Amino acid sequence: MELAGLSVAESIAAEYKRGKVLLCIGPGNNGGDGLVAARHLTQFGFRPSLFYPVQPSKDLYKALMLQCTAFKIPVIQDLDAGLNECDLIVDAIFGFSFKGSPRAPFDKALLALRETDKPIVAVDIPSGWDVEAGDPQGTGIRPDMLISLTAPKLCASGFSGRFHYLGG
């Protein structure tokens, strides 16, 4: 997670101007990568905030959240307000192992991400995409940047954004 999160932050710093970044954090490893990225983004001069509606009880995630708290990274509850106030969004909700349809509160979060005009950075795969088929119906989010971790997944062939990085 440390290497993946650092890769995410470095990729963002290479392509986007310093500003407000809203990181949408899921309950698994992809979310952990996002928490690490938030800490590094602070060090790179960005102003991150977290939308983290389901916080796992595992010690690892508690420790990552404690680090974010020490860096004074705020956690927001109102996703719509966070989307309006940010310059950039990081999708760290679901990773490659996610299957099925998203449940609340993530179903509404993904809908909001599909409707925003703010640039989105997807960590490993865009949330809601199938790891192999991608988004064949064209109903998923359309990230501006994809950061493939370890290796690009098959779904990356359907990525049409501006920036594709390989990290972590």
Side-chain angles (χ1 to χ4, degrees):
M1 268 181 212
E2 279 297 321
L3 184 55
L6 177 60
S7 296
V8 169
E10 287 178 331
S11 300
I12 290 169
E15 300 296 349
Y16 298 99
K17 68 179 185 172
R18 305 312 186 253
K20 293 181 179 180
V21 180
L22 175 62
L23 293 100
C24 297
I25 306 295
N29 289 342
N30 199 264
D33 298 340
L35 293 171
V36 172
R39 190 180 75 236
H40 289 293
L41 286 168
T42 299
Q43 294 174 314
F44 293 160
F46 289 86
R47 295 183 314 276
S49 59
L50 305 173
F51 174 69
Y52 194 17
V54 178
Q55 298 185 21
S57 60
K58 291 182 181 176
D59 289 342
L60 170 64
Y61 298 101
K62 287 181 179 180
L64 292 172
M65 194 57 217
L66 184 63
Q67 292 171 353
C68 288
T69 301
F71 275 80
K72 298 181 175 34
I73 299 170
V75 177
I76 65 158
Q77 303 302 319
D78 185 344
L79 178 59
D80 291 330
L83 291 171
N84 286 333
E85 295 171 7
C86 73
D87 303 305
L88 181 68
I89 302 158
V90 174
D91 163 26
I93 299 174
F94 299 127
F96 66 86
S97 62
F98 180 79
K99 303 280 188 245
S101 297
R103 295 184 308 270
F106 299 109
D107 55 348
K108 291 182 180 167
L110 291 179
L111 180 61
L113 292 181
R114 280 195 294 269
E115 295 176 351
T116 187
D117 60 352
K118 304 282 175 81
I120 298 174
V121 173
V123 176
D124 207 20
I125 72 167
S127 292
W129 283 31
D130 180 88
V131 70
E132 293 178 355
D135 184 33
Q137 286 79 30
T139 57
I141 63 172
R142 293 280 162 226
D144 186 50
M145 174 184 273
L146 173 62
I147 304 164
S148 295
L149 300 176
T150 307
K153 313 311 180 264
L154 287 175
C155 67
S157 65
F159 171 69
S160 61
R162 293 187 300 159
F163 310 112
H164 188 188
Y165 275 69
L166 179 61

PDB file of all heavy atoms in Angstrom, residues 3 10 32 57 95 122 159-160:
ATOM      1  N   LEU A   3       3.837   1.768  -1.324  1.00  0.00           N
ATOM      2  CA  LEU A   3       4.372   2.021  -2.660  1.00  0.00           C
ATOM      3  C   LEU A   3       3.260   2.422  -3.628  1.00  0.00           C
ATOM      4  O   LEU A   3       3.417   3.343  -4.429  1.00  0.00           O
ATOM      5  CB  LEU A   3       5.114   0.790  -3.174  1.00  0.00           C
ATOM      6  CG  LEU A   3       5.817   0.937  -4.520  1.00  0.00           C
ATOM      7  CD1 LEU A   3       6.774   2.118  -4.522  1.00  0.00           C
ATOM      8  CD2 LEU A   3       6.551  -0.341  -4.867  1.00  0.00           C
ATOM      9  N   GLU A  10       2.534  10.593  -6.704  1.00  0.00           N
ATOM     10  CA  GLU A  10       3.547  11.090  -7.646  1.00  0.00           C
ATOM     11  C   GLU A  10       2.969  11.284  -9.046  1.00  0.00           C
ATOM     12  O   GLU A  10       3.301  12.253  -9.728  1.00  0.00           O
ATOM     13  CB  GLU A  10       4.740  10.132  -7.699  1.00  0.00           C
ATOM     14  CG  GLU A  10       5.601  10.184  -6.466  1.00  0.00           C
ATOM     15  CD  GLU A  10       6.748   9.186  -6.507  1.00  0.00           C
ATOM     16  OE1 GLU A  10       6.614   8.123  -7.158  1.00  0.00           O
ATOM     17  OE2 GLU A  10       7.771   9.468  -5.868  1.00  0.00           O
ATOM     18  N   GLY A  32      -7.166   1.716   0.967  1.00  0.00           N
ATOM     19  CA  GLY A  32      -5.909   1.892   1.696  1.00  0.00           C
ATOM     20  C   GLY A  32      -4.871   2.621   0.859  1.00  0.00           C
ATOM     21  O   GLY A  32      -4.158   3.492   1.342  1.00  0.00           O
ATOM     22  N   SER A  57     -12.826  -1.959  10.444  1.00  0.00           N
ATOM     23  CA  SER A  57     -12.350  -2.053  11.824  1.00  0.00           C
ATOM     24  C   SER A  57     -10.952  -2.658  11.928  1.00  0.00           C
ATOM     25  O   SER A  57     -10.407  -2.752  13.027  1.00  0.00           O
ATOM     26  CB  SER A  57     -13.332  -2.888  12.654  1.00  0.00           C
ATOM     27  OG  SER A  57     -13.438  -4.189  12.108  1.00  0.00           O
ATOM     28  N   GLY A  95     -11.344  -1.977  -6.107  1.00  0.00           N
ATOM     29  CA  GLY A  95     -10.221  -2.447  -6.904  1.00  0.00           C
ATOM     30  C   GLY A  95     -10.615  -3.575  -7.826  1.00  0.00           C
ATOM     31  O   GLY A  95     -11.801  -3.816  -8.093  1.00  0.00           O
ATOM     32  N   ALA A 122      -8.338   7.369 -11.428  1.00  0.00           N
ATOM     33  CA  ALA A 122      -8.737   6.043 -10.958  1.00  0.00           C
ATOM     34  C   ALA A 122      -7.506   5.265 -10.502  1.00  0.00           C
ATOM     35  O   ALA A 122      -6.502   5.204 -11.209  1.00  0.00           O
ATOM     36  CB  ALA A 122      -9.462   5.280 -12.062  1.00  0.00           C
ATOM     37  N   PHE A 159      -9.661   2.216 -21.565  1.00  0.00           N
ATOM     38  CA  PHE A 159      -9.420   3.535 -20.972  1.00  0.00           C
ATOM     39  C   PHE A 159      -9.182   4.559 -22.078  1.00  0.00           C
ATOM     40  O   PHE A 159      -8.372   4.332 -22.982  1.00  0.00           O
ATOM     41  CB  PHE A 159      -8.208   3.473 -20.036  1.00  0.00           C
ATOM     42  CG  PHE A 159      -7.739   4.807 -19.540  1.00  0.00           C
ATOM     43  CD1 PHE A 159      -8.521   5.535 -18.654  1.00  0.00           C
ATOM     44  CD2 PHE A 159      -6.540   5.341 -19.970  1.00  0.00           C
ATOM     45  CE1 PHE A 159      -8.089   6.773 -18.195  1.00  0.00           C
ATOM     46  CE2 PHE A 159      -6.104   6.569 -19.521  1.00  0.00           C
ATOM     47  CZ  PHE A 159      -6.885   7.287 -18.638  1.00  0.00           C
ATOM     48  N   SER A 160      -9.877   5.683 -22.008  1.00  0.00           N
ATOM     49  CA  SER A 160      -9.743   6.701 -23.041  1.00  0.00           C
ATOM     50  C   SER A 160      -9.348   8.071 -22.492  1.00  0.00           C
ATOM     51  O   SER A 160      -9.465   9.075 -23.189  1.00  0.00           O
ATOM     52  CB  SER A 160     -11.052   6.821 -23.831  1.00  0.00           C
ATOM     53  OG  SER A 160     -12.104   7.202 -22.969  1.00  0.00           O
TER      54      SER A 160
END
